[in-house]
Amino acid sequence: MAPRVPAAVAKRVRLGSLARAGMGVAVEYTTLGRTGLRVSVAGLGCGGFSRLGLGRGRNEDAAIAVVHAALDHGVTLIDTAAAYRTEDVVGRALAGRREGVVLATKAMVREGGRVLSGAEVVASLEQSLARLRTDRVELFQLHAVLAREYAHVMAEIVPALLRAKAAGKIRHIGLTETAPNDHGHDALARALEDGVWETVMLAFNMMHTNAREVLFPRTRAQGVGTLLMFVVRNVFSQPARLEEEMRGLVAEGKLAAEVAADPLGFLIHAAGASSLTDAAYRFVRHEPGVDVVLFGTSDVGHLRENIASILKPKLPAADLALLRARFGHLVGVGLDGPKVAG
Ligand SMILES: NC(=O)c1ccc[n+]([C@@H]2O[C@H](COP(=O)([O-])OP(=O)(O)OC[C@H]3O[C@@H](n4cnc5c(N)ncnc54)[C@H](OP(=O)(O)O)[C@@H]3O)[C@@H](O)[C@H]2O)c1
């Protein structure tokens, strides 16, 4: 059954159409920390396994349709990366529609086993700008940085980024973690010791909530904008993956077998969530310290559902309490993905 679309979403969709017609916009926005950028609370992720559909065997026209659907629904934050190989389709999709979009991209800081120089990272930025068909990005992020690379990043790469910023090619700079390899958020925790980063991208989900203690108090105090990833990924979108994760947790003695047998079914009820993905997006959206919830998809129907979920109210208090009691001790669940690229 399709989830009921709240009035706020219906309004947003109509106003998105009005915006295209140049008649004003009033969708749901927030401020991305001290960047001061106004951004939609739902951000389109162009990476992950879906890569706008290119990762699922869809063609480029279908990928462009996903971007257009996001814009039509009022999404203004689009997150891509050189490593995703979606910059070119994003650039094509934004032809004539670039205004008002907060475009975020990233560069890796390593190639093979080698860390890159500042000049190499800026060369990656230049290539990204060409593929995106733009002369600057609102947010440029270093992609999947490990704590052990951080000293090099500060000494060698940040000065080059600041020069690119002064030259007008970047408006703001951010750092993203490599969640599969950094369950404790070590790289971002280290980065928050410096005042240079305006945003961080981090993993946070119903079974991986340690950012609540490790990061959010500090990002909030410092005005560092936050973008969330790994909210759904495979664990909450593929029942077989959830079962597999649960079996692993039972085997490690981290979860009781009775809980693992039906871990999240209690979330789905008339006054609660309509699906696990609905629960997952609503769970993170209302967490203090969360600015933008990224969602990745190949499917326009999923896109609509996800935006609707992100705009829905909090999950019921009793459900949130049970989530915390059952899974609050877990770390690193659902962080599947490439072991190097993030
Ligand atoms: N280190 C980094 O910098 C890093 C790492 C990972 C991700 N990211 C960013 O974060 C973004 C979001 O992460 P993510 O791609 O893993 O997104 P996600 O929202 O956590 O999960 C997306 C997965 O869930 C599925 N899905 C989405 N909506 C669904 C729905 N309504 N019903 C059923 N399945 C649904 C998608 O498959 P369908 O295609 O079938 O919808 C996709 O496989 C990425 O695109 C990227 O921009 C950054």
Side-chain angles (χ1 to χ4, degrees):
M1 197 178 73
R4 200 173 66 80
V5 178
V9 175
K11 189 176 168 198
R12 178 191 182 111
V13 172
R14 279 200 306 279
L15 290 167
S17 309
L18 291 178
R20 285 201 311 289
M23 296 166 70
V25 65
V27 294
E28 198 171 339
Y29 290 114
T30 190
T31 301
L32 186 58
R34 60 187 158 78
T35 69
L37 293 169
R38 294 294 287 169
V39 292
S40 54
V41 293
L44 179 64
C46 304
F49 293 105
S50 297
R51 296 177 49 237
L52 298 173
L54 300 182
R56 303 265 195 235
R58 308 270 168 90
N59 64 25
E60 295 195 350
D61 288 344
I64 288 170
V66 171
V67 178
H68 285 171
L71 297 175
D72 291 349
H73 285 75
V75 169
T76 60
L77 190 136
I78 298 183
D79 177 68
T80 182
Y84 300 161
R85 289 171 288 122
T86 51
E87 288 177 321
D88 191 61
V89 286
V90 169
R92 285 170 53 204
L94 293 183
R97 301 187 69 171
R98 175 73 174 85
E99 200 184 332
V101 171
V102 173
L103 189 51
T105 194
K106 319 183 187 78
M108 298 300 292
V109 299
R110 82 186 75 84
E111 198 174 272
R114 187 177 68 87
V115 281
L116 300 182
S117 67
E120 287 172 304
V121 170
V122 171
S124 176
L125 165 67
E126 300 281 5
Q127 290 160 11
S128 291
L129 294 174
R131 286 189 292 265
L132 290 164
R133 296 160 172 77
T134 191
D135 52 11
R136 74 164 181 190
V137 283
E138 282 68 33
L139 180 60
F140 189 65
Q141 304 155 107
L142 297 183
H143 194 170
V145 173
L146 287 161
R148 65 170 182 264
E149 296 164 333
Y150 187 77
H152 169 86
V153 162
M154 274 307 286
E156 303 294 332
I157 299 177
V158 167
L161 292 187
L162 295 178
R163 284 193 295 275
K165 199 173 166 184
K169 294 176 183 174
I170 299 170
R171 277 187 69 191
H172 303 283
I173 61 173
L175 203 70
T176 83
E177 66 183 358
T178 169
N181 308 289
D182 187 1
H183 293 180
H185 309 287
D186 292 350
L188 298 184
R190 172 70 190 81
L192 290 172
E193 290 169 20
D194 299 306
V196 71
W197 308 104
E198 296 165 277
T199 67
V200 292
M201 187 180 293
L202 64 130
F204 184 76
N205 69 40
M206 294 190 287
M207 297 188 190
H208 177 64
T209 55
N210 57 351
R212 200 175 263 161
E213 293 82 36
V214 179
L215 297 179
F216 292 142
R218 296 170 69 190
T219 54
R220 293 176 79 190
Q222 297 175 28
V224 172
T226 60
L227 302 104
L228 261 59
M229 57 183 176
F230 288 88
V231 172
V232 164
R233 205 66 170 183
N234 290 328
V235 71
F236 303 124
S237 60
Q238 297 176 16
R241 288 305 304 269
L242 182 61
E243 284 172 24
E244 191 185 324
E245 290 263 10
M246 294 302 102
R247 274 198 302 275
L249 291 169
V250 172
E252 290 170 36
K254 294 180 179 163
L255 208 60
E258 312 83 79
V259 172
D262 181 13
L264 296 170
F266 70 91
L267 292 169
I268 317 293
H269 57 96
S274 57
S275 67
L276 282 195
T277 54
D278 181 56
Y281 288 119
R282 288 167 68 183
F283 175 78
V284 302
R285 164 72 175 93
H286 299 281
E287 178 72 23
V290 172
D291 294 329
V292 174
V293 179
L294 293 172
F295 65 89
T297 191
S298 55
D299 183 278
V300 170
H302 287 173
L303 177 144
R304 292 199 184 101
E305 287 174 16
N306 297 344
I307 293 170
S309 295
I310 289 166
L311 294 178
K312 280 189 199 172
K314 258 184 175 184
L315 296 173
D319 293 353
L320 289 172
L322 193 50
L323 274 174
R324 191 189 273 260
R326 284 185 166 190
F327 310 115
H329 62 291
L330 297 176
V331 168
V333 179
L335 308 186
D336 52 345
K339 282 293 175 196
V340 282

